[in-house]
Amino acid sequence: DAPRELPFAEAIRMRALDWCRAGDFLRATVLLRYVAPVDQPTRAVYADGLLVRRWDWAKLLTTPDHEPPGFITDYAIDALPIGHLKARHAGKRLLVVRRFAYTKEQYGVGDNLRRAAIRFGLVVHELDSVRLPGPAGDAFIAELYRTIEDMRPSVIFWDELFLSGISAEPRHRDDVAQLLATVRRRFGVRVIKYYGDVWYIMTHMPHQLFEQLGDCYDLVNHMHPAIRHVGTDAERQAVFCCPTPAEITPPTEPYGTIPRACIIGSIHPGGIPRIVWWAECVRAGLPLDFIETFRHGPYQLSDQEYVNTLRRYQLSITLSLRDTGTRIFTGRAHDIPLAGGVLLEEHSEDTHYFLQAGVHYAAFETLPDLAALIPEMLADEARRQRIAAAAHAWVARYYTGDCYWAGTLSKLFP
């Protein structure tokens, strides 16, 4: 990891990605294995026997979990009186301050949050948290205060408060903090701070996890249960570890017309491990297609194309490892069941907190695991149907909005 070697390591890794895109996976794996000792994101994938070790994944298929996932018991989800809470909070005003994607995506975090809140009976108004710095930022602060004064929201949901957009800019950070402290005190507003990628925060800036809790915001919402024991008792009580509402456009194609597995995703800094899995899986001859997507620009899949792709393949794989070595829960672990697909998940305790292994998905850790698991699952239609049906029913019950808002509002207004 000598500083002078890192740019060369990154250049070699990107060259390996070029070879993947060109279809030469032998060259890609040679480069990736060569650079792994000095390239931390690549080393994190190969560590602990990716190419040779076997994990006892079969036990998760033959003796699946019978205890509910930790999320259900930790927050007493089944005891939430959802009908009563809908009636109690009907008409409450919700101000959502978020990053607008400005793409053709219509089912992002903010879009799904808005639809679920409206179904729950809330009145929703949105502001874009990403504005130009300088005078435009000053105008945003004034607009935000006017909106709060006129609207008198009961709740403000702020996506990445103090981490992105205007609230993260040094010139405006203190203004946002003062404004939130004022409206909490003056109007009794409850504020939710949402972390989409809290694993990154814990790696690079852990001091920010609860910074200004109680002054600027009341509740932290994230989906990384591996850190649910971090903090004081009061800080842990101020956490709702739950994914934001999951929703997709309905698929328009039949399930399973392609008897293969797929990995669908973009190659971004946090997703560097996907390059290794792509190269090694194809070199090993697994019946698997890697479909590279792009979050922005003309090559981004439409919502319908994305869902139909998950629907067409008999198996869909999610990769939980990030470049820091952390394993996380991904939104695709909800999208695949909602699309009616069968989820194979790179083992993550985070996913295990939200879904039942062996019931809602099958897990693996290494390339030999996957090489055995894929053909076994492809050959067993009854098992695939059983997993797909159980996962779809579970996600539709617990993760499409009502439980999220019932749990959130119960913590904000006990």
Side-chain angles (χ1 to χ4, degrees):
D1 290 329
R4 71 180 186 85
E5 295 176 333
L6 296 182
F8 296 102
E10 182 177 354
I12 293 171
R13 187 208 319 133
M14 296 309 296
R15 183 59 174 159
L17 177 58
D18 290 339
W19 283 123
C20 286
R21 290 167 173 163
D24 194 331
F25 298 96
L26 176 60
R27 280 191 169 93
T29 54
V30 167
L31 289 177
L32 291 166
R33 295 178 192 183
Y34 171 73
V35 80
V38 296
D39 184 50
Q40 192 278 329
T42 307
R43 181 172 65 240
V45 197
Y46 283 110
D48 200 23
L50 171 76
L51 301 179
V52 297
R53 182 173 61 85
R54 287 295 304 274
W55 181 56
D56 191 12
W57 54 266
K59 66 184 179 184
L60 293 178
L61 297 177
T62 57
T63 56
D65 289 346
H66 294 290
E67 295 298 320
F71 162 76
I72 301 298
T73 54
D74 285 355
Y75 296 104
I77 294 300
D78 283 335
L80 289 172
I82 291 178
H84 168 74
L85 291 167
K86 281 187 172 182
R88 177 187 173 194
H89 297 292
K92 269 192 169 63
R93 296 177 180 87
L94 169 69
L95 175 60
V96 178
V97 186
R98 68 180 181 95
R99 299 162 291 169
F100 282 76
Y102 298 113
T103 68
K104 52 189 173 183
E105 181 182 75
Q106 297 296 312
Y107 289 86
V109 169
D111 303 306
N112 290 341
L113 187 88
R114 180 189 68 250
R115 282 189 287 261
I118 292 171
R119 287 195 299 267
F120 200 83
L122 306 180
V123 177
V124 182
H125 183 78
E126 294 178 302
L127 287 178
D128 185 2
S129 65
V130 180
R131 304 284 185 101
L132 295 174
D138 295 335
F140 173 79
I141 301 296
E143 178 186 355
L144 176 62
Y145 189 80
R146 283 195 304 271
T147 299
I148 294 171
E149 192 168 37
D150 293 343
M151 180 185 176
R152 299 295 175 91
S154 298
V155 178
I156 297 174
F157 175 99
W158 199 307
D159 173 30
E160 293 201 344
L161 176 63
F162 302 132
L163 298 174
S164 68
I166 285 181
S167 69
E169 293 176 7
R171 173 172 175 172
H172 301 296
R173 183 185 178 94
D174 289 344
D175 294 334
V176 170
Q178 183 177 354
L179 184 151
L180 290 177
T182 298
V183 299
R184 286 179 70 248
R185 182 177 62 252
R186 182 178 175 189
F187 302 130
V189 179
R190 306 315 203 261
V191 180
I192 304 168
K193 180 179 185 179
Y194 171 69
Y195 288 103
D197 291 306
V198 74
W199 60 271
Y200 182 88
I201 305 304
M202 288 303 299
T203 300
H204 298 288
M205 50 191 84
H207 65 281
Q208 290 196 18
L209 181 60
F210 296 113
E211 189 176 28
Q212 301 197 67
L213 173 66
D215 295 324
C216 299
Y217 55 94
D218 304 88
L219 186 68
V220 172
N221 176 208
H222 67 71
M223 58 190 80
H224 189 28
I227 65 166
R228 66 188 185 279
H229 303 301
V230 173
T232 66
D233 288 345
E235 288 168 341
R236 292 195 298 270
Q237 286 297 314
V239 171
F240 187 43
C241 184
C242 175
T244 51
E247 185 176 344
I248 60 171
T249 187
T252 58
E253 296 187 10
Y255 160 74
T257 56
I258 302 177
R260 293 170 64 83
C262 78
I263 300 174
I264 182 170
S266 59
I267 304 297
H268 52 77
I272 289 170
R274 292 172 178 169
I275 305 173
V276 177
W277 278 104
W278 184 4
E280 294 291 356
C281 284
V282 180
R283 174 178 173 173
L286 272 59
L288 179 151
D289 299 322
F290 188 100
I291 301 169
E292 188 178 6
T293 60
F294 300 86
R295 292 190 61 83
H296 303 286
Y299 301 106
Q300 181 197 22
L301 292 180
S302 70
D303 293 318
Q304 195 68 67
E305 291 167 335
Y306 166 70
V307 170
N308 283 345
T309 300
L310 296 177
R311 179 82 166 177
R312 283 193 293 266
Y313 281 85
Q314 291 186 359
L315 302 171
S316 293
I317 295 170
T318 62
L319 301 173
S320 64
L321 186 67
R322 290 299 178 260
D323 65 314
T324 62
T326 301
R327 298 183 186 277
I328 69 167
F329 174 84
T330 69
R332 199 155 290 127
H334 281 162
D335 294 345
I336 291 166
L338 286 175
V342 177
L343 171 64
L344 306 187
E345 169 84 3
E346 182 185 16
H347 177 62
S348 160
E349 287 300 324
D350 281 10
T351 302
H352 195 241
Y353 186 75
F354 297 117
L355 302 170
Q356 284 178 286
V359 176
H360 305 131
Y361 69 100
F364 65 92
E365 283 195 348
T366 67
L367 189 65
D369 293 341
L370 202 54
L373 182 59
I374 290 177
E376 180 170 331
M377 294 291 289
L378 290 175
D380 195 336
E381 182 179 359
R383 181 184 292 169
R384 295 199 314 273
Q385 290 179 347
R386 185 167 62 249
I387 289 177
H392 186 277
W394 181 268
V395 172
R397 176 179 179 181
Y398 289 110
Y399 296 110
T400 50
D402 278 3
C403 289
Y404 174 85
W405 282 113
T408 297
L409 294 170
S410 293
K411 290 186 75 69
L412 290 175
F413 303 96

